[in-house]
Amino acid sequence: MRAVRLSGEKAFVLETLPDPTPRPNEIVVAVKACGVCGSDIHAYYGEHPLMKPPLVMGHEFSGLVHSVGDGVSEFAVGERVTVEPLLVCNECDRCKSGRYNACESLRVMGCHADGAYADFLAVPAEKVLRLPDSVSFEDGALIEPAAVAHHAARRANLKGGESILLFGAGPIGLFTLQMLKAYGAGAITCVDLSRYRLQLALSLGADGVVDARESELACLKHRRAEGKEFDLIVDCVGGKGKALDAALDIAAKGSRILAVGILEQGVCMQYLTWIAEHELELIGSFTYVREDFERTIQLLEKGSVRTQGIGSHRFKMEDAAKAFRFIESPDERFVKAILVNDAYTG
Ligand SMILES: [Zn+2]
Ligand SMILES: [Zn+2]
């Protein structure tokens, strides 16, 4: 089979490897589509703390069941599937309590182990989920980031009709917006640097938008004085923590802040002193569990969550190097790249 391996900073090699054979309780998936995640882009620049070359990336994918190992009876060859890419121990306290996304020895396909920038990938059968006929392979590759958003919406502990400020209208932000709406949020205002992404947020259900570059952001801080407060502020930016700093600055007393975006190592927040005296709740959200995948698939099938504009650019898997060069200086409409793979047709 072919696999695209990150071989160094901004360098890929197209390798030929033996086709995988499934071990007991494994399924070999023929990859049809795989999303390029923000973490893949960090790894490409050599800036990811865990994802280091040589590595076959890819943890957001869909495909066809190519072969099944001994003990696998729930899936048949040729079925359309997606995969929850968390590899967990099933033995630690967190795993036993069902919160295996906080497993003591969590590993992720395509991050700690080779992933789906390849023709085939062998995965534990318990991590495979069926795709409904109405969900395309490309949308199937968006289920993983949408499940991140679904988990975040559950962590938000919504009380219905709450007013929300959401930082970041990238793939995770746009899905989080829709998941919060699907679970009964009130008005949601989105903040981003890109006018195009803010338009996309409006088309996907945002009630208002704020350009993060403009003085509008400063105005948000004065909303408290006007009595127009946010019940929940969500950070889907992460990075150097600027959005989280702004969130703490804007947060009304007694409100909640939900941290979803991945923060760089060693980031410190400026306004920690406010947490106690404003009685804020700071909530973390990380990845998902199977239930998030299952519900995300249902919401996509029902059309309550849409992918329009999110999977914005497609490239062939073997052209991954070209895709990443494009991402280095993308056009305005870029939101997320999907690598499609037509090698296996069943
Ligand atoms: Zn990801
Ligand atoms: Zn565990």
Side-chain angles (χ1 to χ4, degrees):
M1 69 164 187
R2 304 165 309 157
V4 173
R5 189 178 297 279
L6 182 70
S7 55
E9 201 179 308
K10 301 195 344 183
F12 287 101
V13 284
L14 183 62
E15 293 182 342
T16 303
L17 302 170
D19 288 354
T21 46
R23 292 178 300 180
N25 303 312
E26 275 189 350
I27 289 176
V28 170
V29 175
V31 180
K32 298 296 286 180
C34 183
V36 174
C37 178
S39 57
D40 299 352
I41 299 166
H42 282 296
Y44 173 74
Y45 286 117
E47 291 168 353
H48 198 285
L50 300 171
M51 294 169 64
K52 298 285 178 200
L55 176 69
V56 177
M57 302 193 289
H59 59 269
E60 310 173 349
F61 61 104
S62 63
L64 292 164
V65 174
H66 178 255
S67 52
V68 302
D70 287 346
V72 178
S73 54
E74 324 82 81
F75 288 93
V77 170
E79 283 196 279
R80 303 168 72 254
V81 295
T82 187
V83 178
E84 188 212 319
L86 304 188
L87 298 165
V88 300
C89 75
N90 284 328
E91 280 166 13
C92 72
D93 286 349
R94 238 72 72 225
C95 279
K96 283 179 182 159
S97 72
R99 290 182 73 181
Y100 61 78
N101 58 325
C103 170
E104 296 296 342
S105 47
L106 178 70
R107 296 165 75 241
V108 182
M109 300 170 196
C111 300
H112 308 82
D114 281 353
Y117 288 8
D119 289 335
F120 300 105
L121 187 65
V123 302
E126 64 172 15
K127 294 298 179 191
V128 178
L129 299 101
R130 226 164 250 114
L131 275 186
D133 290 341
S134 64
V135 176
S136 68
F137 286 120
E138 287 174 44
D139 282 355
L142 293 171
I143 289 169
E144 193 268 0
V148 169
H150 187 275
H151 190 72
R154 286 206 295 150
R155 295 283 294 156
N157 205 5
L158 287 179
K159 290 170 187 76
E162 287 184 307
S163 155
I164 298 172
L165 182 66
L166 192 155
F167 283 92
I172 299 293
L174 292 168
F175 279 128
T176 301
L177 160 71
Q178 298 183 77
M179 293 295 182
L180 290 166
K181 282 284 182 182
Y183 284 102
I188 302 183
T189 304
C190 290
V191 185
D192 200 277
L193 289 163
S194 153
R195 282 175 190 276
Y196 173 73
R197 289 184 180 200
L198 291 176
Q199 279 305 316
L200 202 49
L202 286 170
S203 75
L204 292 171
D207 299 277
V209 293
V210 169
D211 186 326
R213 265 180 306 235
E214 291 174 6
S215 54
E216 289 176 47
L217 192 57
C219 292
L220 289 173
K221 295 173 193 174
H222 300 302
R223 278 176 70 113
R224 278 199 303 262
E226 297 163 19
K228 286 183 268 172
E229 299 174 333
F230 296 106
D231 302 298
L232 171 72
I233 305 182
V234 185
D235 172 25
C236 292
V237 176
K240 298 191 191 311
K242 281 188 179 171
L244 207 48
D245 268 343
L248 281 158
D249 202 13
I250 293 163
K253 286 189 176 181
S255 63
R256 314 193 296 291
I257 295 171
L258 179 63
V260 184
I262 307 279
L263 292 158
E264 289 176 13
Q265 297 291 90
V267 166
C268 297
M269 290 187 293
Q270 285 185 45
Y271 298 98
L272 281 174
T273 44
W274 288 33
I275 289 182
E277 67 187 66
H278 287 192
E279 208 161 272
L280 301 178
E281 285 178 63
L282 181 57
I283 307 164
S285 183
F286 184 68
T287 66
Y288 33 70
V289 292
R290 188 177 179 94
E291 185 187 343
D292 296 303
F293 261 71
E294 289 170 348
R295 296 231 192 131
T296 295
I297 291 170
Q298 289 164 3
L299 289 166
L300 271 176
E301 196 180 11
K302 275 201 301 183
S304 316
V305 167
R306 292 176 291 146
T307 58
Q308 276 80 352
I310 298 179
S312 60
H313 290 70
R314 56 213 296 282
F315 297 86
K316 288 184 172 172
M317 184 272 288
E318 58 271 30
D319 293 335
K322 191 172 135 194
F324 278 76
R325 272 199 304 279
F326 169 80
I327 293 168
E328 283 185 48
S329 51
D331 61 49
E332 185 201 43
R333 287 168 177 265
F334 174 72
V335 179
K336 187 177 188 71
I338 304 210
L339 303 177
V340 294
N341 192 330
D342 296 323
Y344 179 79
T345 49

